[in-house]
Amino acid sequence: MSDDDLEEHIIVVREGHGANCSSIGSVIDALFATQVAAGALFAAVAAALANADANANADANANAHADANADADADAKTDAK
């Protein structure tokens, strides 16, 4: 096939990422990249929420122990009288 024959058959040559592939091929790449980013974001948010929940539980437990110790001390002082 000569260059003249090619010029008759080629309508458009696009440049850039995935330029000459079908539109669905480009969309699949974009969807894959979006899902990877969404998964990473979800994992980060879940880890942050789990850490915040663990900290809140630790604070609640520390407060409960402090209250229990204060009650025990008050009872001991009452019993001593």
Side-chain angles (χ1 to χ4, degrees):
M1 200 171 228
S2 70
D3 288 342
D4 293 333
D5 291 338
L6 285 177
E7 288 178 10
E8 291 177 17
H9 295 305
I10 296 175
I11 299 171
V12 175
V13 175
R14 297 180 191 101
E15 295 181 15
H17 172 71
N20 291 318
C21 69
S22 67
S23 60
I24 191 67
S26 298
V27 170
I28 289 173
D29 286 346
L31 288 175
F32 177 74
T34 302
Q35 289 302 312
V36 169
L41 180 63
F42 178 77
V45 169
L49 290 176
N51 190 23
D53 189 37
N55 288 340
N57 286 339
D59 290 343
N61 287 338
N63 290 338
H65 289 296
D67 291 343
N69 289 338
D71 290 342
D73 289 343
D75 289 343
K77 287 179 184 178
T78 304
D79 291 341
K81 288 185 182 181

